[in-house]
Amino acid sequence: MAFVTRIFGLSCTLAIVVPLAAVAPVTAETTDDVAKFYRGKTVNAVVGYGPGSTFELYLRILTRHIGRHIPGNPTVVLQQMPGAGSLKATNYLAAVAPKDGSVFGMINPVNTIEPLIDPKNSRFDPRTFQWLGSLNSEISTCGFWSKDLRTLDDLKKREIVFGSTGPASGSTVDAKMLGALVGLKIRVVTGYPTLNDIRLAAERGETDGFCGLLVSALKTDYWDQYKSGRVTVPVQMGLAKHPEFGHIPNAYDLAKSEEDRQLFRLIFGPWTYGRPLYAPPGTDPARLAALRAALVATLKDPAYREEAQKINMELQSLPPETIAKLVDQILRTPAPVVERARQVLGVANR
């Protein structure tokens, strides 16, 4: 399967400020050198979440297959590094992890706007990340277990209690931004280890549900509950509607001004590259090229695709150059829009 390049309304013709990588020419000698390096090695695949997260699930399944397609066939091991909505892992990959090709990882794409929103919590520039690609292009939604929350109009009738995994997580950012754009009265309760813990809290009546529920997670983790009506999804937040959920209102269509649309693109645009993989800045060019090629080969691998299909996992992959263009575009958001986002998210005075 080739990489999908349809990008839900974002332009892909902008110049890239930082080169993707100084990739070395592929020759028999470099291939042999790469294979020699990886032979007998362990490659760590870092994910910023623990078990129960769809990010962890996506990367865990990938690790079972990608080693066959890396020269030298190294062992690829999943390394869980939860914390701060994946910011801990993002900072590690950007500033601490080895640059020899022995480490790559999957991060929450929302982290790529942290240098704009809350620079004190981010020690990285996403334009320097050595992207491998993304396993899926995502659209965010909100899921509710409270029986009185069935439609977008229902959300406007009372205060909504959202659960969250952390201040910088998609569950917090998406809830606060949806509230500001649509005019909801909300309260965000942070500190839940995983979205599944928030689901359990919602079933106990402690919260109403959560935002940051990606369509792919809905389909892998909550599909039976959704089809039975136990969980409802009254709104989606994408630059275009998900093709399977055309009946669900899109918050982007409700934006009242160009500034609202710019704010929406800043916050929800990163979900377009929803399951991104990258190697640390400065990673050896030949090994970086090998990791990128291995990802492409894995996406075509019948065994990998069969395993993904068994659990209803979406695969709408994006190539590294597309991610880099989208990141650059989002990071060019005008300063007044960024300041408004910081006000909404409560980080303006930090």
Side-chain angles (χ1 to χ4, degrees), residues 88-289:
K88 180 179 178 181
T90 304
N91 279 316
Y92 168 77
L93 287 164
V96 179
K99 306 177 188 299
D100 59 359
S102 65
V103 177
F104 68 90
M106 176 179 286
I107 64 167
N108 188 320
V110 174
N111 293 164
T112 58
I113 65 172
E114 274 298 297
L116 291 179
I117 302 298
D118 196 5
K120 291 182 180 179
N121 279 334
S122 54
R123 303 188 302 272
F124 55 82
D125 180 350
R127 289 167 292 194
T128 68
F129 293 177
Q130 302 296 345
W131 301 107
L132 306 184
S134 174
L135 299 182
N136 197 46
S137 184
E138 298 282 0
I139 290 178
S140 185
T141 71
C142 302
F144 297 98
W145 280 259
S146 297
K147 294 181 179 179
D148 63 328
L149 302 178
R150 298 296 181 186
T151 68
L152 187 57
D153 287 338
D154 289 340
L155 302 183
K156 300 177 182 179
K157 294 178 180 178
R158 64 170 175 87
E159 180 183 67
I160 310 300
V161 181
F162 292 95
S164 163
T165 59
S169 68
S171 48
T172 293
V173 171
D174 290 11
K176 288 185 174 182
M177 201 55 56
L178 178 67
L181 288 170
V182 179
L184 306 181
K185 184 179 181 182
I186 72 168
R187 178 160 58 93
V188 178
V189 180
T190 61
Y192 290 95
T194 69
L195 294 181
N196 197 49
D197 290 298
I198 304 174
R199 188 265 302 174
L200 293 173
E203 291 182 341
R204 295 192 298 265
E206 297 173 11
T207 70
D208 291 308
F210 58 87
C211 284
L213 173 58
L214 304 180
V215 169
S216 64
L218 176 68
K219 293 172 74 173
T220 57
D221 298 346
Y222 306 104
W223 199 233
D224 288 340
Q225 290 195 8
Y226 174 74
K227 289 191 296 183
S228 70
R230 180 66 186 89
V231 59
T232 57
V233 177
V235 64
Q236 59 183 301
M237 292 86 75
L239 299 182
K241 287 185 176 182
H242 190 282
E244 293 183 43
F245 297 95
H247 61 290
I248 298 176
N250 186 6
Y252 186 68
D253 297 334
L254 305 175
K256 298 176 182 178
S257 67
E258 179 55 30
E259 184 178 293
D260 281 355
R261 285 185 283 274
Q262 289 177 325
L263 182 63
F264 189 101
R265 289 192 291 267
L266 170 65
I267 300 301
F268 297 111
W271 289 121
T272 304
Y273 44 94
R275 305 292 179 179
L277 298 156
Y278 84 95
T283 292
D284 177 85
R287 295 166 196 166
L288 175 65

Side-chain angles (χ1 to χ4, degrees), residues 294-315:
L295 179 59
V296 173
T298 304
L299 287 164
K300 299 176 182 177
D301 187 328
Y304 170 72
R305 296 187 63 78
E306 181 181 0
E307 184 171 1
Q309 187 175 16
K310 284 180 180 178
I311 60 170
N312 203 27
M313 178 180 283
E314 285 198 332
L315 292 174

